[in-house]
Amino acid sequence: MKNLLAITDFSNKEIDELIHIAEDIEKNPAKYQEKAKHKKLATLFFEPSTRTRLSFESAMLSLGGSVLGFSDANSSSSSKGESLSDTIRVVSCYSDIIAMRHPKEGAPLVASNVASVPIINAGDGGHNHPTQTLTDLLTIKKEKGRLDNFTIGFCGDLKFGRTVHSLIQALARYKGIKLVLISPDELKLPDYVKKDVIEKSNMDYVETDSLEKAMPTLDVLYMTRVQQERFFNEDDYLRLRDSYILDMDKLSSAKKDLSILHPLPRVNEISIEVDSDERACYFKQVYNGRLIRMALILKLLNLI
Ligand code: NCD
């Protein structure tokens, strides 16, 4: 039985296959509308979510399956003190596959040790978010026509931004990717990503605190929200939250074919004036998220 705990659980070949299925789903939705009939997806969200949970649910419904679960830990027995392992054992009896989000890093791994159905990590603390990465890869593939040989800037909260960690893990396995890591000193990428992923795979990277300087070199710009919920100190958050605000003025030096990504939700980091620029891809990411999650569910349930 296969899980998706980290993006490295899938080879590049398997990722290519998921992208291929997602593209086929987009072209021929009717072909897939009963593929997961009588199957049940449980969405267990111990942390807030809009896109990830609803796109999983919409994905399962689009495959003819059904969904159950909770979107607030306070409405589950974990508020009575039930352990995660017990919750997972129980939900394994009610569902065929589980997508879970949890504030603790490694919680999906713990879940996978006791689950009798596949576990999908829908975000664990400041660690990983592999299904957002699949969404990001599908978007880059559609926009650029390739997943290799481009320069990508990651801007904002690279310390706590789990979507950044997972996407870098994925990109480390493609050729010719250059990383520009744009953040204030306090929000730099953690060592376990820099040393164990970037340096081990000999990726080309630079670190800077200047979005302006980086801008003209970028093919893809991945903006992020400063992750308020991971800060220990409110004052630090308030000081850092508006470190980077992308507006049309900053985009004036950007390439004409830049692709601007953001996993959303956005707070202040992209001005709404950017939304109507054709380089803005963040709502396309939302659209792509449901397609790739449909492909993922089919694959993990061995329905394709
Ligand atoms: C991201 C997350 O939860 O890590 N959101 C998402 O799933 N699209 C990014 C964020 O919350 O900033």
Side-chain angles (χ1 to χ4, degrees):
M1 192 179 67
K2 199 166 163 73
N3 303 299
L4 177 60
L5 307 180
I7 194 67
T8 44
D9 290 337
F10 281 77
S11 66
N12 284 11
K13 193 163 166 265
E14 287 170 315
I15 289 174
D16 281 351
E17 195 190 341
L18 288 178
I19 289 177
H20 182 76
I21 298 167
E23 287 173 338
D24 194 51
I25 292 171
E26 186 178 20
K27 279 189 224 120
N28 307 297
K31 195 169 126 190
Y32 295 89
Q33 66 194 8
E34 300 216 326
K35 282 259 189 234
K37 206 171 168 189
H38 306 307
K39 298 287 183 190
K40 295 187 255 334
L41 164 76
T43 53
L44 310 186
F45 277 65
F46 297 87
E47 257 196 351
S49 168
T50 300
R51 269 150 298 274
T52 307
R53 185 174 62 83
L54 294 181
S55 71
F56 262 116
E57 298 190 357
S58 176
M60 192 51 159
L61 295 172
S62 306
L63 292 167
S66 26
V67 294
L68 64 161
F70 55 81
S71 55
D72 176 4
N74 290 324
S75 68
S76 79
S77 281
S78 73
S79 67
K80 298 183 189 168
E82 183 169 62
S83 70
L84 175 66
S85 296
D86 282 5
T87 302
I88 295 294
R89 276 184 217 265
V90 168
V91 178
S92 290
C93 300
Y94 304 149
S95 61
D96 300 290
I97 184 163
I98 297 174
M100 63 172 283
R101 168 170 290 187
H102 202 281
K104 290 218 170 83
E105 284 83 3
L109 176 65
V110 171
S112 70
N113 289 331
V114 294
S116 54
V117 300
I119 295 286
I120 302 171
N121 178 4
D124 61 331
H127 187 218
N128 275 330
H129 193 345
T131 66
Q132 180 64 45
T133 298
L134 292 174
T135 302
D136 301 338
L137 292 173
L138 174 59
T139 306
I140 295 171
K141 177 75 195 305
K142 282 171 138 188
E143 295 302 311
K144 299 277 172 241
R146 61 182 193 281
L147 287 173
D148 53 14
N149 295 302
F150 60 82
T151 299
I152 177 168
F154 286 94
C155 179
D157 187 348
L158 311 190
K159 180 178 180 186
F160 297 117
R162 55 193 173 193
T163 65
V164 171
H165 308 159
S166 289
L167 183 53
I168 290 177
Q169 280 177 351
L171 294 175
R173 301 184 303 182
Y174 292 92
K175 284 204 190 81
I177 305 289
K178 289 188 187 154
L179 302 177
V180 185
L181 306 173
I182 309 154
S183 74
D185 215 36
E186 290 104 314
L187 297 179
K188 277 182 160 177
L189 201 67
D191 264 2
Y192 81 88
V193 186
K194 203 153 62 178
K195 297 220 156 51
D196 300 350
V197 181
I198 298 181
E199 289 172 7
K200 255 198 194 139
S201 57
N202 280 322
M203 285 183 103
D204 194 336
Y205 81 98
V206 288
E207 289 185 295
T208 174
D209 60 6
S210 169
L211 175 58
E212 283 85 347
K213 277 193 198 136
M215 189 66 85
T217 67
L218 305 177
D219 301 305
V220 179
L221 171 58
Y222 196 99
M223 295 296 294
T224 62
R225 175 180 69 91
V226 175
Q227 307 278 296
Q228 177 176 18
E229 64 275 38
R230 316 264 176 243
F231 277 75
F232 292 115
N233 176 334
E234 179 73 4
D235 289 344
D236 286 345
Y237 169 68
L238 294 176
R239 188 168 47 79
L240 292 166
R241 68 174 176 184
D242 290 332
S243 298
Y244 302 98
I245 299 178
L246 182 66
D247 55 19
M248 289 313 289
D249 195 38
K250 291 211 183 71
L251 276 175
S252 61
S253 64
K255 290 188 183 172
K256 293 275 166 287
D257 65 346
L258 173 73
S259 301
I260 305 164
L261 274 68
H262 188 309
L264 303 182
R266 108 179 105 179
V267 185
N268 268 336
E269 55 283 349
I270 303 182
S271 302
I272 51 169
E273 62 181 9
V274 177
D275 297 0
S276 48
D277 190 288
E278 59 184 20
R279 291 168 287 189
C281 296
Y282 27 95
F283 290 108
K284 293 185 188 171
Q285 280 168 279
V286 176
Y287 170 80
N288 290 330
R290 185 182 65 94
L291 298 172
I292 200 82
R293 287 183 174 100
M294 286 172 75
L296 176 67
I297 292 168
L298 291 177
K299 198 74 207 158
L300 291 178
L301 287 177
N302 294 317
L303 296 172
I304 204 153

